Amino acid sequence: MNKTTGAVKGKRVVMVCGVPMDMANCPVRDVMDNIGGKWNSLMILSLADGPLRFSQLRRLIPDISQRMLTQTLRDLQRDGYLSRTVYPTQPPSVEYRLTDLGRSFLVPLKLFVDWSLQNHDAIRKARAEYDQVA
Amino acid sequence: MNKTTGAVKGKRVVMVCGVPMDMANCPVRDVMDNIGGKWNSLMILSLADGPLRFSQLRRLIPDISQRMLTQTLRDLQRDGYLSRTVYPTQPPSVEYRLTDLGRSFLVPLKLFVDWSLQNHDAIRKARAEYDQVA
DNA sequence: CCGTATCCGGGTGGATACTG
DNA sequence: CAGTATCCACCCGGATACGG
């Protein structure tokens, strides 16, 4: 089962699922913050098939506010998932494009998307049953 | 309340990455809420290798508060990821165990974990560079 | 077109104390 | 041991207005 590695005292590293998990400074939690927000993963997916401009992303994701679109793009740019290119046209246009890092993330993200679509009904059903009992 | 299915206004279903994405009522966002929280994915991973009791989970994840441990477990139970079994011993013990749904989620989650471990250095580097410029 | 600035309501999550 | 209950600080994210 879960056994702490006795290597270093004080380091809370646990073998989980065949992988060393650092419970104190957890890379998984760190990455999860990047894509666990309300719009982050959807943004990466939206750019999967090619670069898009700001206004194109707005139209593609109608529910997002202008503020959150900007902020989500900044966050993802900051952590290296996408790049921002300004074309000095008139009026100006800004293109957002997945980096190599961002594209490599599409592999696990795509698997997650597939799982969500397959099991979404089962989850909603479990939720409804739980709420009915309670 | 909910917009019922079918033709409301405009098609909000977009083909992304070869997958139909409903931007209005998005299953991906729904599932992401389940595992995008601060502790949710870590909880599922902690139970990957076998069932654990409440106090065992507390020791395994030292940073979590008692309140959030309970709440996270309830949320995941509600959506069908894990089951809760009370053994009427003295003192009582409660066992948490992944359901079939929860175990099936380990497949995409494991891929995500591996990606995180491989790329979190690149992310931290990108973040540092971005912050230095700004 | 592509943002920034500001305000603010609600939800998230930590700390603490108490129960069966 | 396995929780509940309560209070509260913080931050996320929507609405709105303004600027290059």
Side-chain angles (χ1 to χ4, degrees):
Chain A
M1 302 304 169
N2 298 309
K3 293 178 180 176
T4 56
T5 60
V8 183
K9 276 184 181 179
K11 264 212 164 188
R12 294 172 291 196
V13 178
V14 182
M15 289 302 294
V16 167
C17 219
V19 171
M21 292 281 298
D22 188 344
M23 292 299 183
N25 184 19
C26 186
V28 180
R29 287 239 309 273
D30 198 12
V31 175
M32 190 63 84
D33 287 341
N34 290 335
I35 56 99
K38 189 168 182 177
W39 305 105
N40 298 9
S41 59
L42 204 57
M43 194 67 56
I44 295 176
L45 286 170
S46 299
L47 294 171
D49 297 325
L52 292 174
R53 287 184 304 121
F54 190 86
S55 54
Q56 291 179 306
L57 285 167
R58 264 193 101 173
R59 282 190 292 273
L60 192 63
I61 312 173
D63 287 349
I64 198 172
S65 67
Q66 202 168 6
R67 175 178 135 84
M68 288 314 297
L69 179 53
T70 301
Q71 186 172 307
T72 303
L73 289 168
R74 286 292 176 282
D75 289 345
L76 292 175
Q77 182 192 357
R78 177 172 184 258
D79 284 359
Y81 290 88
L82 53 85
S83 63
R84 178 178 183 269
T85 310
V86 181
Y87 294 100
T89 57
Q90 190 52 255
S93 67
V94 180
E95 183 190 81
Y96 294 92
R97 178 192 299 264
L98 289 185
T99 61
D100 289 341
L101 184 73
R103 269 188 298 278
S104 77
F105 184 69
L106 286 174
V107 178
L109 182 56
K110 181 64 165 47
L111 213 68
F112 172 78
V113 168
D114 292 340
W115 190 92
S116 300
L117 295 176
Q118 282 177 19
N119 297 98
H120 183 230
D121 286 342
I123 292 172
R124 283 163 47 98
K125 186 182 172 187
R127 200 180 294 169
E129 287 179 4
Y130 183 94
D131 291 344
Q132 196 168 7
V133 173
Chain B
M1 313 291 286
N2 257 347
K3 296 172 189 173
T4 48
T5 57
V8 192
K9 48 178 177 180
K11 50 182 295 186
R12 312 186 87 171
V13 177
V14 183
M15 289 302 295
V16 167
C17 217
V19 171
M21 293 280 299
D22 187 345
M23 293 299 183
N25 184 18
C26 185
V28 179
R29 287 238 308 274
D30 198 11
V31 176
M32 191 63 84
D33 286 342
N34 290 335
I35 55 98
K38 189 168 182 179
W39 304 106
N40 298 11
S41 59
L42 205 57
M43 193 66 57
I44 294 176
L45 285 170
S46 299
L47 293 171
D49 297 324
L52 291 174
R53 288 179 312 143
F54 190 87
S55 55
Q56 292 179 305
L57 285 168
R58 261 193 102 173
R59 281 189 294 272
L60 192 64
I61 312 173
D63 288 347
I64 199 172
S65 67
Q66 204 168 4
R67 174 179 137 83
M68 287 314 297
L69 179 54
T70 301
Q71 186 171 307
T72 303
L73 288 168
R74 285 293 175 281
D75 289 346
L76 291 175
Q77 182 193 356
R78 177 172 183 257
D79 284 359
Y81 290 88
L82 54 84
S83 63
R84 178 179 182 269
T85 310
V86 181
Y87 294 101
T89 56
Q90 191 54 254
S93 68
V94 180
E95 184 189 82
Y96 294 93
R97 178 191 299 264
L98 289 185
T99 61
D100 289 340
L101 184 74
R103 270 187 297 278
S104 78
F105 184 70
L106 286 175
V107 178
L109 183 56
K110 180 64 163 47
L111 212 67
F112 173 78
V113 169
D114 292 340
W115 190 92
S116 300
L117 295 176
Q118 283 178 15
N119 298 98
H120 90 281
D121 281 343
I123 292 173
R124 284 163 46 97
K125 187 182 173 187
R127 198 180 295 170
E129 287 179 5
Y130 183 94
D131 291 344
Q132 197 167 6
V133 174

PDB file of all heavy atoms in Angstrom, chain A residues 55 66 70 74 84 92-94 96, chain C residues 1-8 14:
ATOM      1  N   SER A  55     -10.449  37.899 -30.221  1.00  0.00           N
ATOM      2  CA  SER A  55     -11.888  37.981 -30.519  1.00  0.00           C
ATOM      3  C   SER A  55     -12.445  36.638 -30.979  1.00  0.00           C
ATOM      4  O   SER A  55     -13.616  36.343 -30.734  1.00  0.00           O
ATOM      5  CB  SER A  55     -12.135  39.046 -31.583  1.00  0.00           C
ATOM      6  OG  SER A  55     -11.336  38.798 -32.718  1.00  0.00           O
ATOM      7  N   GLN A  66     -14.716  39.199 -20.668  1.00  0.00           N
ATOM      8  CA  GLN A  66     -13.490  39.727 -21.241  1.00  0.00           C
ATOM      9  C   GLN A  66     -12.345  39.667 -20.226  1.00  0.00           C
ATOM     10  O   GLN A  66     -11.211  39.316 -20.552  1.00  0.00           O
ATOM     11  CB  GLN A  66     -13.729  41.166 -21.670  1.00  0.00           C
ATOM     12  CG  GLN A  66     -12.766  41.670 -22.707  1.00  0.00           C
ATOM     13  CD  GLN A  66     -13.222  42.989 -23.302  1.00  0.00           C
ATOM     14  OE1 GLN A  66     -14.223  43.575 -22.845  1.00  0.00           O
ATOM     15  NE2 GLN A  66     -12.512  43.463 -24.303  1.00  0.00           N
ATOM     16  N   THR A  70      -8.789  37.433 -20.708  1.00  0.00           N
ATOM     17  CA  THR A  70      -7.446  38.004 -20.580  1.00  0.00           C
ATOM     18  C   THR A  70      -6.649  37.314 -19.488  1.00  0.00           C
ATOM     19  O   THR A  70      -5.506  36.897 -19.687  1.00  0.00           O
ATOM     20  CB  THR A  70      -7.547  39.506 -20.259  1.00  0.00           C
ATOM     21  OG1 THR A  70      -8.271  40.157 -21.292  1.00  0.00           O
ATOM     22  CG2 THR A  70      -6.174  40.124 -20.146  1.00  0.00           C
ATOM     23  N   ARG A  74      -3.246  35.078 -19.797  1.00  0.00           N
ATOM     24  CA  ARG A  74      -2.014  35.487 -19.138  1.00  0.00           C
ATOM     25  C   ARG A  74      -1.445  34.366 -18.279  1.00  0.00           C
ATOM     26  O   ARG A  74      -0.240  34.083 -18.290  1.00  0.00           O
ATOM     27  CB  ARG A  74      -2.276  36.711 -18.268  1.00  0.00           C
ATOM     28  CG  ARG A  74      -2.462  38.005 -19.002  1.00  0.00           C
ATOM     29  CD  ARG A  74      -1.205  38.500 -19.680  1.00  0.00           C
ATOM     30  NE  ARG A  74      -1.490  39.713 -20.456  1.00  0.00           N
ATOM     31  CZ  ARG A  74      -2.067  39.709 -21.635  1.00  0.00           C
ATOM     32  NH1 ARG A  74      -2.416  38.558 -22.198  1.00  0.00           N
ATOM     33  NH2 ARG A  74      -2.310  40.827 -22.274  1.00  0.00           N
ATOM     34  N   ARG A  84       2.035  34.442 -27.058  1.00  0.00           N
ATOM     35  CA  ARG A  84       1.229  35.605 -27.450  1.00  0.00           C
ATOM     36  C   ARG A  84       2.015  36.413 -28.463  1.00  0.00           C
ATOM     37  O   ARG A  84       3.152  36.821 -28.190  1.00  0.00           O
ATOM     38  CB  ARG A  84       0.919  36.441 -26.210  1.00  0.00           C
ATOM     39  CG  ARG A  84       0.135  37.702 -26.460  1.00  0.00           C
ATOM     40  CD  ARG A  84      -0.139  38.395 -25.135  1.00  0.00           C
ATOM     41  NE  ARG A  84      -0.956  39.583 -25.289  1.00  0.00           N
ATOM     42  CZ  ARG A  84      -0.456  40.802 -25.485  1.00  0.00           C
ATOM     43  NH1 ARG A  84       0.839  40.970 -25.575  1.00  0.00           N
ATOM     44  NH2 ARG A  84      -1.264  41.832 -25.614  1.00  0.00           N
ATOM     45  N   PRO A  92      -5.056  46.511 -34.346  1.00  0.00           N
ATOM     46  CA  PRO A  92      -4.101  45.479 -33.951  1.00  0.00           C
ATOM     47  C   PRO A  92      -4.776  44.129 -33.749  1.00  0.00           C
ATOM     48  O   PRO A  92      -5.957  44.062 -33.386  1.00  0.00           O
ATOM     49  CB  PRO A  92      -3.535  45.994 -32.627  1.00  0.00           C
ATOM     50  CG  PRO A  92      -4.560  46.934 -32.122  1.00  0.00           C
ATOM     51  CD  PRO A  92      -5.176  47.547 -33.319  1.00  0.00           C
ATOM     52  N   SER A  93      -4.040  43.076 -34.015  1.00  0.00           N
ATOM     53  CA  SER A  93      -4.552  41.734 -33.752  1.00  0.00           C
ATOM     54  C   SER A  93      -3.504  40.966 -32.954  1.00  0.00           C
ATOM     55  O   SER A  93      -2.305  41.146 -33.145  1.00  0.00           O
ATOM     56  CB  SER A  93      -4.864  41.013 -35.060  1.00  0.00           C
ATOM     57  OG  SER A  93      -3.687  40.748 -35.771  1.00  0.00           O
ATOM     58  N   VAL A  94      -3.982  40.146 -32.048  1.00  0.00           N
ATOM     59  CA  VAL A  94      -3.097  39.375 -31.173  1.00  0.00           C
ATOM     60  C   VAL A  94      -3.419  37.901 -31.325  1.00  0.00           C
ATOM     61  O   VAL A  94      -4.577  37.497 -31.198  1.00  0.00           O
ATOM     62  CB  VAL A  94      -3.263  39.798 -29.705  1.00  0.00           C
ATOM     63  CG1 VAL A  94      -2.333  38.993 -28.819  1.00  0.00           C
ATOM     64  CG2 VAL A  94      -2.990  41.282 -29.544  1.00  0.00           C
ATOM     65  N   TYR A  96      -2.873  33.933 -30.245  1.00  0.00           N
ATOM     66  CA  TYR A  96      -2.486  33.005 -29.185  1.00  0.00           C
ATOM     67  C   TYR A  96      -2.296  31.618 -29.772  1.00  0.00           C
ATOM     68  O   TYR A  96      -3.125  31.146 -30.550  1.00  0.00           O
ATOM     69  CB  TYR A  96      -3.529  32.988 -28.076  1.00  0.00           C
ATOM     70  CG  TYR A  96      -3.624  34.309 -27.347  1.00  0.00           C
ATOM     71  CD1 TYR A  96      -4.531  35.291 -27.748  1.00  0.00           C
ATOM     72  CD2 TYR A  96      -2.781  34.587 -26.285  1.00  0.00           C
ATOM     73  CE1 TYR A  96      -4.590  36.512 -27.099  1.00  0.00           C
ATOM     74  CE2 TYR A  96      -2.842  35.803 -25.625  1.00  0.00           C
ATOM     75  CZ  TYR A  96      -3.748  36.755 -26.032  1.00  0.00           C
ATOM     76  OH  TYR A  96      -3.802  37.959 -25.389  1.00  0.00           O
TER      77      TYR A  96
ATOM     78  P    DC C   1     -13.467  43.248 -33.095  1.00  0.00           P
ATOM     79  OP1  DC C   1     -12.844  41.946 -32.994  1.00  0.00           O
ATOM     80  OP2  DC C   1     -14.274  43.783 -32.046  1.00  0.00           O
ATOM     81  O5'  DC C   1     -12.380  44.309 -33.676  1.00  0.00           O
ATOM     82  C5'  DC C   1     -11.269  43.832 -34.424  1.00  0.00           C
ATOM     83  C4'  DC C   1     -10.004  43.968 -33.598  1.00  0.00           C
ATOM     84  O4'  DC C   1      -9.978  45.292 -33.006  1.00  0.00           O
ATOM     85  C3'  DC C   1      -9.917  42.977 -32.419  1.00  0.00           C
ATOM     86  O3'  DC C   1      -8.645  42.359 -32.414  1.00  0.00           O
ATOM     87  C2'  DC C   1     -10.118  43.822 -31.178  1.00  0.00           C
ATOM     88  C1'  DC C   1      -9.671  45.195 -31.624  1.00  0.00           C
ATOM     89  N1   DC C   1     -10.386  46.275 -30.919  1.00  0.00           N
ATOM     90  C2   DC C   1      -9.673  47.139 -30.085  1.00  0.00           C
ATOM     91  O2   DC C   1      -8.449  47.008 -29.968  1.00  0.00           O
ATOM     92  N3   DC C   1     -10.340  48.106 -29.430  1.00  0.00           N
ATOM     93  C4   DC C   1     -11.666  48.230 -29.577  1.00  0.00           C
ATOM     94  N4   DC C   1     -12.282  49.214 -28.909  1.00  0.00           N
ATOM     95  C5   DC C   1     -12.418  47.374 -30.422  1.00  0.00           C
ATOM     96  C6   DC C   1     -11.742  46.407 -31.060  1.00  0.00           C
ATOM     97  P    DC C   2      -8.301  41.103 -31.416  1.00  0.00           P
ATOM     98  OP1  DC C   2      -7.196  40.356 -32.024  1.00  0.00           O
ATOM     99  OP2  DC C   2      -9.558  40.427 -31.059  1.00  0.00           O
ATOM    100  O5'  DC C   2      -7.729  41.859 -30.137  1.00  0.00           O
ATOM    101  C5'  DC C   2      -6.509  42.575 -30.250  1.00  0.00           C
ATOM    102  C4'  DC C   2      -6.188  43.244 -28.952  1.00  0.00           C
ATOM    103  O4'  DC C   2      -7.153  44.291 -28.688  1.00  0.00           O
ATOM    104  C3'  DC C   2      -6.257  42.306 -27.718  1.00  0.00           C
ATOM    105  O3'  DC C   2      -5.096  42.464 -26.922  1.00  0.00           O
ATOM    106  C2'  DC C   2      -7.493  42.781 -26.997  1.00  0.00           C
ATOM    107  C1'  DC C   2      -7.483  44.259 -27.330  1.00  0.00           C
ATOM    108  N1   DC C   2      -8.761  44.968 -27.103  1.00  0.00           N
ATOM    109  C2   DC C   2      -8.747  46.210 -26.454  1.00  0.00           C
ATOM    110  O2   DC C   2      -7.674  46.706 -26.105  1.00  0.00           O
ATOM    111  N3   DC C   2      -9.926  46.846 -26.231  1.00  0.00           N
ATOM    112  C4   DC C   2     -11.077  46.289 -26.621  1.00  0.00           C
ATOM    113  N4   DC C   2     -12.207  46.957 -26.380  1.00  0.00           N
ATOM    114  C5   DC C   2     -11.116  45.034 -27.289  1.00  0.00           C
ATOM    115  C6   DC C   2      -9.946  44.399 -27.506  1.00  0.00           C
ATOM    116  P    DG C   3      -4.716  41.298 -25.843  1.00  0.00           P
ATOM    117  OP1  DG C   3      -3.452  41.674 -25.205  1.00  0.00           O
ATOM    118  OP2  DG C   3      -4.824  40.018 -26.526  1.00  0.00           O
ATOM    119  O5'  DG C   3      -5.891  41.347 -24.756  1.00  0.00           O
ATOM    120  C5'  DG C   3      -5.610  41.775 -23.462  1.00  0.00           C
ATOM    121  C4'  DG C   3      -5.647  43.295 -23.380  1.00  0.00           C
ATOM    122  O4'  DG C   3      -6.866  43.775 -23.987  1.00  0.00           O
ATOM    123  C3'  DG C   3      -5.681  43.837 -21.974  1.00  0.00           C
ATOM    124  O3'  DG C   3      -4.378  43.950 -21.450  1.00  0.00           O
ATOM    125  C2'  DG C   3      -6.369  45.192 -22.145  1.00  0.00           C
ATOM    126  C1'  DG C   3      -7.114  45.062 -23.468  1.00  0.00           C
ATOM    127  N9   DG C   3      -8.566  45.236 -23.338  1.00  0.00           N
ATOM    128  C8   DG C   3      -9.555  44.380 -23.766  1.00  0.00           C
ATOM    129  N7   DG C   3     -10.769  44.805 -23.544  1.00  0.00           N
ATOM    130  C5   DG C   3     -10.578  46.026 -22.924  1.00  0.00           C
ATOM    131  C6   DG C   3     -11.527  46.966 -22.447  1.00  0.00           C
ATOM    132  O6   DG C   3     -12.768  46.880 -22.461  1.00  0.00           O
ATOM    133  N1   DG C   3     -10.910  48.083 -21.879  1.00  0.00           N
ATOM    134  C2   DG C   3      -9.546  48.262 -21.787  1.00  0.00           C
ATOM    135  N2   DG C   3      -9.134  49.397 -21.210  1.00  0.00           N
ATOM    136  N3   DG C   3      -8.653  47.405 -22.245  1.00  0.00           N
ATOM    137  C4   DG C   3      -9.228  46.308 -22.794  1.00  0.00           C
ATOM    138  P    DT C   4      -4.112  43.677 -19.885  1.00  0.00           P
ATOM    139  OP1  DT C   4      -2.815  42.998 -19.769  1.00  0.00           O
ATOM    140  OP2  DT C   4      -5.335  43.047 -19.387  1.00  0.00           O
ATOM    141  O5'  DT C   4      -4.013  45.105 -19.168  1.00  0.00           O
ATOM    142  C5'  DT C   4      -4.535  46.238 -19.795  1.00  0.00           C
ATOM    143  C4'  DT C   4      -4.820  47.374 -18.830  1.00  0.00           C
ATOM    144  O4'  DT C   4      -6.194  47.830 -19.058  1.00  0.00           O
ATOM    145  C3'  DT C   4      -4.759  47.092 -17.339  1.00  0.00           C
ATOM    146  O3'  DT C   4      -4.350  48.289 -16.675  1.00  0.00           O
ATOM    147  C2'  DT C   4      -6.189  46.683 -17.006  1.00  0.00           C
ATOM    148  C1'  DT C   4      -7.009  47.558 -17.941  1.00  0.00           C
ATOM    149  N1   DT C   4      -8.248  46.905 -18.425  1.00  0.00           N
ATOM    150  C2   DT C   4      -9.442  47.550 -18.266  1.00  0.00           C
ATOM    151  O2   DT C   4      -9.537  48.649 -17.755  1.00  0.00           O
ATOM    152  N3   DT C   4     -10.533  46.859 -18.740  1.00  0.00           N
ATOM    153  C4   DT C   4     -10.544  45.622 -19.337  1.00  0.00           C
ATOM    154  O4   DT C   4     -11.582  45.098 -19.725  1.00  0.00           O
ATOM    155  C5   DT C   4      -9.250  45.001 -19.484  1.00  0.00           C
ATOM    156  C7   DT C   4      -9.142  43.661 -20.118  1.00  0.00           C
ATOM    157  C6   DT C   4      -8.184  45.662 -19.017  1.00  0.00           C
ATOM    158  P    DA C   5      -4.210  48.373 -15.075  1.00  0.00           P
ATOM    159  OP1  DA C   5      -3.156  49.362 -14.790  1.00  0.00           O
ATOM    160  OP2  DA C   5      -4.078  46.990 -14.563  1.00  0.00           O
ATOM    161  O5'  DA C   5      -5.600  48.950 -14.576  1.00  0.00           O
ATOM    162  C5'  DA C   5      -6.188  50.078 -15.220  1.00  0.00           C
ATOM    163  C4'  DA C   5      -7.307  50.661 -14.368  1.00  0.00           C
ATOM    164  O4'  DA C   5      -8.588  50.119 -14.798  1.00  0.00           O
ATOM    165  C3'  DA C   5      -7.203  50.336 -12.880  1.00  0.00           C
ATOM    166  O3'  DA C   5      -7.696  51.450 -12.140  1.00  0.00           O
ATOM    167  C2'  DA C   5      -8.085  49.099 -12.715  1.00  0.00           C
ATOM    168  C1'  DA C   5      -9.177  49.348 -13.754  1.00  0.00           C
ATOM    169  N9   DA C   5      -9.706  48.124 -14.360  1.00  0.00           N
ATOM    170  C8   DA C   5      -8.988  47.053 -14.834  1.00  0.00           C
ATOM    171  N7   DA C   5      -9.727  46.087 -15.335  1.00  0.00           N
ATOM    172  C5   DA C   5     -11.024  46.558 -15.188  1.00  0.00           C
ATOM    173  C6   DA C   5     -12.271  46.004 -15.519  1.00  0.00           C
ATOM    174  N6   DA C   5     -12.421  44.808 -16.094  1.00  0.00           N
ATOM    175  N1   DA C   5     -13.380  46.731 -15.246  1.00  0.00           N
ATOM    176  C2   DA C   5     -13.239  47.932 -14.671  1.00  0.00           C
ATOM    177  N3   DA C   5     -12.106  48.550 -14.312  1.00  0.00           N
ATOM    178  C4   DA C   5     -11.026  47.806 -14.598  1.00  0.00           C
ATOM    179  P    DT C   6      -7.514  51.488 -10.506  1.00  0.00           P
ATOM    180  OP1  DT C   6      -7.219  52.898 -10.125  1.00  0.00           O
ATOM    181  OP2  DT C   6      -6.599  50.398 -10.115  1.00  0.00           O
ATOM    182  O5'  DT C   6      -8.972  51.136 -10.001  1.00  0.00           O
ATOM    183  C5'  DT C   6     -10.096  51.784 -10.606  1.00  0.00           C
ATOM    184  C4'  DT C   6     -11.393  51.144 -10.159  1.00  0.00           C
ATOM    185  O4'  DT C   6     -11.691  50.006 -11.001  1.00  0.00           O
ATOM    186  C3'  DT C   6     -11.404  50.625  -8.715  1.00  0.00           C
ATOM    187  O3'  DT C   6     -12.405  51.317  -7.979  1.00  0.00           O
ATOM    188  C2'  DT C   6     -11.743  49.140  -8.851  1.00  0.00           C
ATOM    189  C1'  DT C   6     -12.409  49.085 -10.215  1.00  0.00           C
ATOM    190  N1   DT C   6     -12.308  47.766 -10.894  1.00  0.00           N
ATOM    191  C2   DT C   6     -13.458  47.176 -11.378  1.00  0.00           C
ATOM    192  O2   DT C   6     -14.556  47.689 -11.291  1.00  0.00           O
ATOM    193  N3   DT C   6     -13.266  45.970 -11.980  1.00  0.00           N
ATOM    194  C4   DT C   6     -12.064  45.297 -12.137  1.00  0.00           C
ATOM    195  O4   DT C   6     -12.022  44.207 -12.696  1.00  0.00           O
ATOM    196  C5   DT C   6     -10.905  45.958 -11.596  1.00  0.00           C
ATOM    197  C7   DT C   6      -9.565  45.314 -11.715  1.00  0.00           C
ATOM    198  C6   DT C   6     -11.085  47.144 -11.012  1.00  0.00           C
ATOM    199  P    DC C   7     -12.518  51.180  -6.385  1.00  0.00           P
ATOM    200  OP1  DC C   7     -12.670  52.523  -5.806  1.00  0.00           O
ATOM    201  OP2  DC C   7     -11.463  50.282  -5.892  1.00  0.00           O
ATOM    202  O5'  DC C   7     -13.920  50.410  -6.261  1.00  0.00           O
ATOM    203  C5'  DC C   7     -15.020  50.807  -7.077  1.00  0.00           C
ATOM    204  C4'  DC C   7     -16.057  49.704  -7.144  1.00  0.00           C
ATOM    205  O4'  DC C   7     -15.571  48.636  -8.002  1.00  0.00           O
ATOM    206  C3'  DC C   7     -16.377  49.046  -5.783  1.00  0.00           C
ATOM    207  O3'  DC C   7     -17.774  49.121  -5.538  1.00  0.00           O
ATOM    208  C2'  DC C   7     -15.899  47.607  -5.945  1.00  0.00           C
ATOM    209  C1'  DC C   7     -15.976  47.407  -7.448  1.00  0.00           C
ATOM    210  N1   DC C   7     -15.084  46.331  -7.972  1.00  0.00           N
ATOM    211  C2   DC C   7     -15.623  45.291  -8.746  1.00  0.00           C
ATOM    212  O2   DC C   7     -16.831  45.289  -8.980  1.00  0.00           O
ATOM    213  N3   DC C   7     -14.798  44.318  -9.209  1.00  0.00           N
ATOM    214  C4   DC C   7     -13.500  44.357  -8.930  1.00  0.00           C
ATOM    215  N4   DC C   7     -12.735  43.391  -9.412  1.00  0.00           N
ATOM    216  C5   DC C   7     -12.925  45.412  -8.150  1.00  0.00           C
ATOM    217  C6   DC C   7     -13.745  46.372  -7.693  1.00  0.00           C
ATOM    218  P    DC C   8     -18.313  48.872  -4.039  1.00  0.00           P
ATOM    219  OP1  DC C   8     -19.507  49.713  -3.866  1.00  0.00           O
ATOM    220  OP2  DC C   8     -17.178  48.961  -3.088  1.00  0.00           O
ATOM    221  O5'  DC C   8     -18.775  47.346  -4.124  1.00  0.00           O
ATOM    222  C5'  DC C   8     -19.608  46.911  -5.203  1.00  0.00           C
ATOM    223  C4'  DC C   8     -19.742  45.401  -5.186  1.00  0.00           C
ATOM    224  O4'  DC C   8     -18.588  44.800  -5.839  1.00  0.00           O
ATOM    225  C3'  DC C   8     -19.789  44.780  -3.782  1.00  0.00           C
ATOM    226  O3'  DC C   8     -20.788  43.785  -3.743  1.00  0.00           O
ATOM    227  C2'  DC C   8     -18.430  44.137  -3.637  1.00  0.00           C
ATOM    228  C1'  DC C   8     -18.186  43.699  -5.081  1.00  0.00           C
ATOM    229  N1   DC C   8     -16.767  43.386  -5.389  1.00  0.00           N
ATOM    230  C2   DC C   8     -16.467  42.281  -6.191  1.00  0.00           C
ATOM    231  O2   DC C   8     -17.378  41.587  -6.619  1.00  0.00           O
ATOM    232  N3   DC C   8     -15.171  42.003  -6.473  1.00  0.00           N
ATOM    233  C4   DC C   8     -14.206  42.787  -5.981  1.00  0.00           C
ATOM    234  N4   DC C   8     -12.951  42.475  -6.292  1.00  0.00           N
ATOM    235  C5   DC C   8     -14.489  43.919  -5.168  1.00  0.00           C
ATOM    236  C6   DC C   8     -15.779  44.181  -4.899  1.00  0.00           C
ATOM    237  P    DG C  14      -7.212  24.503   3.286  1.00  0.00           P
ATOM    238  OP1  DG C  14      -6.076  24.294   2.377  1.00  0.00           O
ATOM    239  OP2  DG C  14      -8.059  23.375   3.688  1.00  0.00           O
ATOM    240  O5'  DG C  14      -6.659  25.189   4.616  1.00  0.00           O
ATOM    241  C5'  DG C  14      -6.064  26.470   4.576  1.00  0.00           C
ATOM    242  C4'  DG C  14      -6.330  27.209   5.876  1.00  0.00           C
ATOM    243  O4'  DG C  14      -7.727  27.584   5.935  1.00  0.00           O
ATOM    244  C3'  DG C  14      -6.043  26.410   7.149  1.00  0.00           C
ATOM    245  O3'  DG C  14      -5.158  27.121   7.990  1.00  0.00           O
ATOM    246  C2'  DG C  14      -7.402  26.215   7.796  1.00  0.00           C
ATOM    247  C1'  DG C  14      -8.211  27.360   7.235  1.00  0.00           C
ATOM    248  N9   DG C  14      -9.632  27.057   7.116  1.00  0.00           N
ATOM    249  C8   DG C  14     -10.201  26.115   6.303  1.00  0.00           C
ATOM    250  N7   DG C  14     -11.503  26.061   6.401  1.00  0.00           N
ATOM    251  C5   DG C  14     -11.808  27.035   7.338  1.00  0.00           C
ATOM    252  C6   DG C  14     -13.067  27.445   7.852  1.00  0.00           C
ATOM    253  O6   DG C  14     -14.181  26.998   7.580  1.00  0.00           O
ATOM    254  N1   DG C  14     -12.925  28.467   8.781  1.00  0.00           N
ATOM    255  C2   DG C  14     -11.728  29.030   9.171  1.00  0.00           C
ATOM    256  N2   DG C  14     -11.792  29.995  10.076  1.00  0.00           N
ATOM    257  N3   DG C  14     -10.556  28.655   8.691  1.00  0.00           N
ATOM    258  C4   DG C  14     -10.666  27.662   7.790  1.00  0.00           C
TER     259       DG C  14
END
